[in-house]
Amino acid sequence: MKIILFGATGMVGQGVLRECLLDPVVTEVITVLRSPTGRRHPKLREINHKDFTDFSGVSLQADACFWCLGVTSAGTSEADYTRITHDFTVAAAKVMVSPAMTFVFVSGTGAEGKAMWARIKRKTEIALLAMPFKEVYVFRPGLIQPLNGIRSRTRIYNLLYPIIYPLMLLMKWVRPDSITTTERVGRAMLRIARDGYPVKILESPDINAAAQ
């Protein structure tokens, strides 16, 4: 299976990339980035691309695309958040759209809400679900625990995780399905790319179930 991955340097994307490289079914992972990471792996190929609003000159063909690219809405204007969350995603999807490809988009729990980020995430979900891919799935994780030394590129998240770690342990005990991990997100994406899944929008319990 051949995978295209956007957002490979972010917290979720790092976890997804790790699981893709470990999975024996995956033969190649193509990461699309603005600047090279310098990472080397026999399965990994990087495409360096500057303009994420125009992919007309880029060949993006694979069995599945995992879209993990995103930015925190904190301190980001609505225009910039729309450009990164919606415009980048739709621009790439239009080039890749194929009845042979499965597209998985990482959204967030609460995307049905009225907050700025939620409205834009939902707008992006709707646009993708209307495209003639083989399948489109939306991941709406809530709290994600980073594993295997993975860290977020967002400084405030790295500061908050040690503080909320006791809460995460409590939530794991009280409501274990309300939390997922970077490992489970990656494994769930690979599973549904191979086998499909009964629902198109997956919250944390669905993500955890699909990862089994």
Side-chain angles (χ1 to χ4, degrees):
M1 185 163 60
K2 184 176 176 180
I3 305 294
I4 294 173
L5 174 60
F6 284 80
T9 59
M11 186 187 79
V12 174
Q14 289 176 62
V16 172
L17 177 59
R18 178 181 184 273
E19 298 308 312
C20 288
L21 295 177
L22 288 173
D23 194 315
V25 176
V26 176
T27 56
E28 184 179 19
V29 184
I30 300 169
T31 58
V32 185
L33 310 127
R34 291 192 181 194
S35 57
T37 64
R39 182 166 182 171
R40 298 288 182 268
H41 190 281
K43 291 184 183 181
L44 182 62
R45 178 162 69 93
E46 291 186 355
I47 294 178
N48 300 316
H49 186 71
K50 297 297 184 184
D51 185 359
F52 271 42
T53 62
D54 183 5
F55 292 92
S56 56
V58 185
S59 177
L60 298 174
Q61 297 179 344
D63 299 295
C65 174
F66 298 156
W67 192 276
C68 305
L69 178 66
V71 64
T72 177
S73 61
T76 305
S77 70
E78 182 166 349
D80 285 342
Y81 193 80
T82 300
R83 181 172 57 87
I84 295 167
T85 303
H86 176 271
D87 299 351
F88 287 1
T89 312
V90 171
K94 285 180 177 178
V95 172
M96 290 186 288
V97 68
S98 162
M101 178 184 279
T102 295
F103 195 104
V104 184
F105 172 67
V106 177
S107 182
T109 188
E112 297 282 0
K114 296 182 179 179
M116 179 271 284
W117 73 267
R119 288 186 286 102
I120 296 168
K121 285 281 193 183
R122 183 59 181 151
K123 178 182 177 182
T124 310
E125 293 176 2
I126 292 169
L128 293 170
L129 289 164
M131 292 185 181
F133 285 99
K134 177 183 177 181
E135 299 285 357
V136 175
Y137 295 94
V138 173
F139 276 32
R140 289 182 179 174
L143 194 59
I144 302 174
Q145 180 182 3
L147 300 178
N148 306 299
I150 290 171
R151 289 172 61 84
S152 173
R153 296 179 69 189
T154 305
R155 183 172 178 271
I156 190 170
Y157 289 172
N158 290 325
L159 294 174
L160 286 175
Y161 269 109
I163 298 171
I164 65 174
Y165 185 71
L167 175 61
M168 293 175 67
L169 293 178
L170 177 62
M171 290 295 291
K172 277 187 174 182
W173 182 66
V174 176
R175 291 186 58 199
D177 278 348
S178 65
I179 296 176
T180 191
T181 68
T182 48
E183 275 188 2
R184 288 177 178 175
V185 171
R187 290 174 185 173
M189 286 188 178
L190 289 166
R191 186 269 176 95
I192 69 170
R194 285 192 299 259
D195 307 325
Y197 200 72
V199 298
K200 300 298 183 185
I201 297 178
L202 292 81
E203 305 279 351
S204 288
D206 299 299
I207 294 169
N208 292 336
Q212 299 303 315

